[in-house]
Structures are given as C-alpha cells and as structure tokens.
C-alpha cells in the first residue's frame, strides 16, 4: 500500500500536539468511498518485551461475506509512550509496516481506536486514513470523550456522542445486551456510513470481524 503523507515522528508531547492540530484540518468526514466495497481490513496492536517491541497486525476480509483473505504482521521498537489521545504516535509506525506487506488493498480500514471522537478531533483512525488517503473508521472499545443518552439494549441501537455541543461519533450496540462500541469517522467516510459498515462487519461478537481477527493476531503468543 502507498503512503501518501509523511511527517517526522515526534519525540515530545508538544511535537505530537502540533502534528495533530496541523493535520486535523485535512480530515474529510463525508463519503469518498470507491464502490463497490470488496475488501475491508482491521488493524490492531500488541506489545512484547514489556512494551518495548510493537507488533502490528492487519487482517483483510472479503466483503460482504467477511472471509479472511490476507494477514500481515510487523515488528519494530516502540518509540513513543502510552498516553491516551496520542496512541497513533505509538502504534501507526508499526501498522504502516504491516500494511506495506499486504497485496490486497482494502476499500475501508476499521481501527481499534478513535476517529474524530478525540479532544483534537484527530484519533488514530483519522491519522492513519490521512497518511494512506483512504477511508477509515474508528471503532473503540471504551469512551475517550463525550456524553450520550441512554442506549437501548437491542442490536443496531445507537445514540449520538456529543462533545462541546458537537456530534463527534456514535455509541453503537453491536450485540443485544452487550456493551456498546464507540464509532466515529476517521477519514473519507461519514458517520452514518461508518455505523452501517461496522454493523455489516459484525457477526456474533461485540467487535467487527476485522478488528476481532486483527486483535487475535496482534496478541497471539
């Protein structure tokens, strides 16, 4: 896969904030999908040797039947600390290494993390999507920022996620009676379309098959 944007990876928090603020203005939250969507991918991270080695996993699935067609793993030294809101600087270098190995280019990448549901509206899904110039969706397991109304238990139910009066994402029930996930636009995709694809990529588990399989690959011993 081609990387369309490059920047130096920061060594300080101040440098990381400056990168987020400068790139955020380029994020597109309207649909710019190349249809029909034939492949979807998930990316996730694991860490080895007390966090000093990053292991990135990519899983590419056919769509809409969600059959696994390709996987990739990449390892590299971890160079940025774990700080909520700055995970892309810790994780994306290895993710890019793993993506460069795959032969099938997905139409959409689902990230285990936030899109614009982020203090500076630039979570890992935005960052990755912008570097690759492709549609990405943030599918986080936990809330970073924002508030929402009570969510019905039924699968497919969702409520807007609001921060400072702005709709930044959705709290989505992917399984009846199971904890929700937090969906937000990454790049080149709208929130309604992101919700639709997350549901269509989710079978019998809480997480979409893309990120569920990538998570297993990234954490396997």
């Amino acid at each position: 896969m081609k990387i369309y944007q490059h920047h130096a990876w920061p060594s300080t928090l101040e440098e990381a904030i400056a990168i987020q603020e400068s790139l955020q203005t380029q994020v597109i939250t309207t649909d710019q999908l190349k249809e029909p969507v034939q492949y979807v991918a998930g990316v996730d991270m694991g860490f080895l040797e007390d966090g000093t080695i990053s292991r990135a996993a990519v899983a590419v699935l056919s769509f809409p039947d969600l059959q696994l067609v390709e996987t990739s793993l990449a390892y590299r030294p971890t160079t940025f600390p774990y700080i909520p809101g700055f995970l892309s600087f810790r994780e994306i270098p290895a993710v890019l290494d793993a993506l460069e190995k795959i032969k099938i280019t997905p139409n959409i990448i689902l990230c285990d993390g936030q899109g614009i549901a982020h203090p500076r509206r630039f979570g890992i899904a935005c960052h990755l999507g912008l570097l690759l110039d492709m549609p990405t969706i943030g599918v986080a397991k936990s809330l970073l920022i924002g508030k929402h109304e009570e969510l019905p238990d039924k699968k497919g139910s969702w409520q807007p996620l609001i921060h400072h009066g702005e709709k930044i994402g959705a709290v989505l029930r992917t399984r009846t009676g199971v904890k929700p996930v937090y969906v937000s636009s990454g790049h080149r995709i709208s929130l309604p379309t992101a919700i639709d694809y997350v549901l269509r990529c989710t079978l019998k588990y809480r997480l979409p098959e893309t990120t569920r399989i990538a998570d297993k690959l990234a954490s396997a011993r």
Side-chain angles (χ1 to χ4, degrees):
M1 289 183 64
K2 184 176 180 180
I3 301 171
Y4 287 86
Q5 288 214 41
H6 296 269
H7 60 72
W9 292 102
S11 57
T12 68
L13 203 56
E14 291 75 19
E15 291 171 349
I17 291 171
I19 290 170
Q20 288 181 338
E21 291 178 343
S22 66
L23 294 181
Q24 191 280 326
T25 58
Q26 301 178 44
V27 171
I28 298 168
T29 56
T30 56
D31 291 327
Q32 293 190 2
L33 291 167
K34 293 181 180 179
E35 295 184 316
V37 173
Q38 295 181 297
Y39 298 100
V40 291
V43 297
D44 205 354
M45 290 293 300
F47 294 91
L48 306 171
E49 298 182 19
D50 294 324
T52 60
I53 302 296
S54 301
R55 173 166 58 187
V58 176
V60 182
L61 283 66
S62 56
F63 186 86
D65 58 339
L66 301 178
Q67 297 299 303
L68 183 64
V69 294
E70 189 175 9
T71 63
S72 173
L73 285 172
Y75 300 79
R76 69 155 55 202
T78 307
T79 58
F80 200 83
Y82 172 80
I83 306 172
F86 297 90
L87 295 187
S88 62
F89 300 103
R90 181 176 171 86
E91 299 184 0
I92 283 182
V95 168
L96 292 175
D97 290 345
L99 286 167
E100 286 183 326
K101 294 181 178 182
I102 63 174
K103 296 178 181 179
I104 298 172
T105 300
N107 301 98
I108 305 172
I109 297 178
L110 286 75
C111 300
D112 179 28
Q114 311 291 347
I116 66 166
H118 179 275
R120 285 164 295 285
R121 308 295 186 260
F122 198 72
I124 188 170
C126 302
H127 202 158
L128 184 63
L130 201 61
L131 293 176
L132 299 172
D133 191 29
M134 70 179 303
T136 52
I137 302 171
V139 188
K141 295 188 286 287
S142 59
L143 178 69
L144 180 61
I145 59 168
K147 296 182 179 180
H148 60 89
E149 299 294 331
E150 186 175 350
L151 187 64
D153 275 345
K154 186 178 178 181
K155 177 179 178 176
S157 300
W158 67 277
Q159 288 286 348
L161 183 62
I162 306 297
H163 184 247
H164 294 329
E166 179 184 356
K167 183 164 69 173
I168 58 171
V171 187
L172 174 65
R173 190 85 67 187
T174 53
R175 284 193 67 195
T176 299
V178 171
K179 289 195 300 183
V181 295
Y182 300 87
V183 177
S184 56
S185 301
H187 186 51
R188 289 177 48 183
I189 198 162
S190 67
L191 181 59
T193 301
I195 293 169
D196 178 55
Y197 276 102
V198 170
L199 286 172
R200 292 169 72 185
C201 290
T202 304
L203 298 178
K204 57 183 179 178
Y205 298 97
R206 177 191 178 206
L207 296 179
E209 288 299 285
T210 46
T211 41
R212 189 183 71 84
I213 294 171
D215 175 72
K216 290 179 66 176
L217 290 168
S219 59
R221 293 292 180 183

